[in-house]
Amino acid sequence: MDKKNVWKKYRGDDFTLLNVICDDYRQFLSKSKIEREAVRNSIQLAEKAGFVNLNTYIENQAPLVPGDKIYVNNRGKSVAFFIIGSEDITKGMNILGAHVDSPRLDLKANPLYEEKDFAYLDTHYYGGIKKYQWVTLPLALHGVIIRKNGEKIHVEVGEDENDPVIGITDLLPHLGNEQLKKEASKVIEGEGLDLLIGSVPFPEEDDEKKDKELVKKNILAILKDRYDIEEDDFLSAEIEVVPAGKARDFGLDRSMIMGYGQDDKVCAYTSLRAFLDAPACNKTISCILVDKEEIGSMGATGMQSNFYEDALLEICNLMGHTENTAVGRCFRNSNMLSSDVNAAYDPLYSDVMDKRNASYFNQGVVFCKYTGSRGKSGSNDATAEFIAKIRNVMDKHYVNFQISELGKVDAGGGGTIAYILANKNVNVIDCGVGVLSMHAPWEVTAKADIYEAYKCYLAFLQDA
Ligand code: MN
Ligand code: MN
């Protein structure tokens, strides 16, 4: 196999477009740390491009015609976009699907407590993290608090340079003898991931009253002042704790990007960008951005939810396909790229990789026939026929790609959303960008691979 650093192949236009896409991506990433923000920002980009909420069509019983651009907003946490093609929808769609949730810490329902004049927020981690990576970092709070009357309060603390940050403390090495003898998975325990958020007691007029937990009381006063909330309002909140700060160019040659949540916003952004940039296609094309992948794709906003199929039923109805075979026919004629990141080869950790079947930085977009673990268990395992078709499309559009697996046999493994639409009888293969330090607070990707992913998604939408 010819494995070449793609930078050597680039000419003037490539450099220009690569930089435009990567700069836009870096900004999107900094503004879209949690799934709600990614969905909101994606819908904003789509609306600017003329997309309309499907509900508008349903309410007016307006027929859908070729060229119509619609989106389905699922609870503000996942979204599906469609552009109706000139060909009948039952002939199948070309679908891109990525996830917009990322590993993080979530506040518990009763998070606030005081201990020895410190106020803390208690958390439960979300997705696969190495807990020791989350201490001594500047952290930010992102999310929503919903009042009993349904009113929604958006929370974002720690991103503006004038904002304070919060964080989790670690033990000093001087007293760390016992801690450093522990297994890495136990150095910091799940219940130890508590955020230090304050240390000033509430000023009491009457010192004799000896009100306890005055530091907590003071934090509640700050929250009341800033958001007009009571402690009970945490019960109906979704507040996510993520690394504070923007994504940055990485490397002295600026060839890479470091940022939080690139799994899987790097594929979400490039998929959406290609989808919005695609010229008019014969086939109906779709882009799905979903929540909950990191915890098994369950729930109403995960890929296992019926929301996508329901949307498709509505769309078929609005196109005059009232027969109950329409959705099934559409699915079995459809192609999908499950756009998700791959573990790129890291020379510092080479022993978990099979060098001939690993993905490499700067060698293009990565196709992954199967993920899973213990003998491909739980994986989609794309057919050879479908991979041949994809190879043909990629070569036709001069897309640089590599085909790899996720680490050595029995080194571990992972999953994506690929199997879910594959179970509905869609042709699916995993396809995405290689990542270093995946699931760490700050992940690294290569700009050339981001550019190739964009080209790949564009080629797939037009020609698969
Ligand atoms: Mn992923
Ligand atoms: Mn992941």
Side-chain angles (χ1 to χ4, degrees), residues 55-126:
N55 286 339
T56 311
Y57 282 83
I58 295 171
E59 279 156 23
N60 300 319
Q61 280 301 298
L64 280 166
V65 297
D68 280 351
K69 300 171 171 181
I70 47 179
Y71 69 85
V72 182
N73 178 349
N74 183 11
R75 298 167 167 85
K77 297 181 61 147
S78 54
V79 58
F81 302 96
F82 298 85
I83 302 176
I84 306 300
S86 50
E87 199 176 85
D88 194 277
I89 195 163
T90 59
K91 298 256 175 72
M93 301 184 287
N94 287 337
I95 308 166
L96 296 171
H99 68 92
V100 287
D101 61 318
S102 299
R104 60 178 191 253
L105 310 177
D106 286 342
L107 293 197
K108 291 190 182 186
N110 299 295
L112 186 59
Y113 72 91
E114 175 171 338
E115 186 71 40
K116 291 282 175 209
D117 280 3
F118 285 129
Y120 289 95
L121 288 171
D122 198 357
T123 69
H124 195 137
Y125 67 97
Y126 173 101

Side-chain angles (χ1 to χ4, degrees), residues 5-78:
N5 191 311
V6 298
W7 285 99
K8 292 179 188 161
K9 301 183 186 175
Y10 289 159
R11 302 289 171 266
D13 286 354
D14 287 311
F15 294 117
T16 312
L17 190 52
L18 180 152
N19 282 322
V20 168
I21 285 168
C22 290
D23 284 351
D24 290 351
Y25 163 57
R26 206 185 49 239
Q27 285 169 38
F28 178 89
L29 184 61
S30 296
K31 291 187 302 188
S32 311
K33 289 195 172 174
I34 66 170
E35 66 285 350
R36 286 177 190 268
E37 292 161 354
V39 165
R40 186 186 63 211
N41 293 332
S42 299
I43 290 175
Q44 212 170 61
L45 288 173
E47 282 182 337
K48 235 185 252 170
F51 280 71
V52 174
N53 194 316
L54 178 64
N55 286 339
T56 311
Y57 282 83
I58 295 171
E59 279 156 23
N60 300 319
Q61 280 301 298
L64 280 166
V65 297
D68 280 351
K69 300 171 171 181
I70 47 179
Y71 69 85
V72 182
N73 178 349
N74 183 11
R75 298 167 167 85
K77 297 181 61 147
S78 54

Side-chain angles (χ1 to χ4, degrees), residues 25 36 64 67 88 97 105 112 137-138 149 177 195 201 243 259 301 324 328 332 335 351 354 362 408 420 445:
Y25 163 57
R36 286 177 190 268
L64 280 166
D88 194 277
L105 310 177
L112 186 59
L137 286 175
N149 65 6
N177 285 351
L195 299 151
T301 56
N324 58 14
R332 73 172 171 265
N335 303 309
D351 54 337
D354 163 13
N362 296 320
K408 248 185 192 169
I420 301 164
T445 53

Side-chain angles (χ1 to χ4, degrees), residues 343-353 355 358-361 435-438 444:
Y345 182 85
D346 186 336
L348 300 185
Y349 303 97
S350 58
D351 54 337
V352 296
M353 296 288 180
K355 280 187 185 156
S359 65
Y360 293 85
F361 261 33
V435 175
L436 294 179
S437 305
M438 194 197 292
V444 180

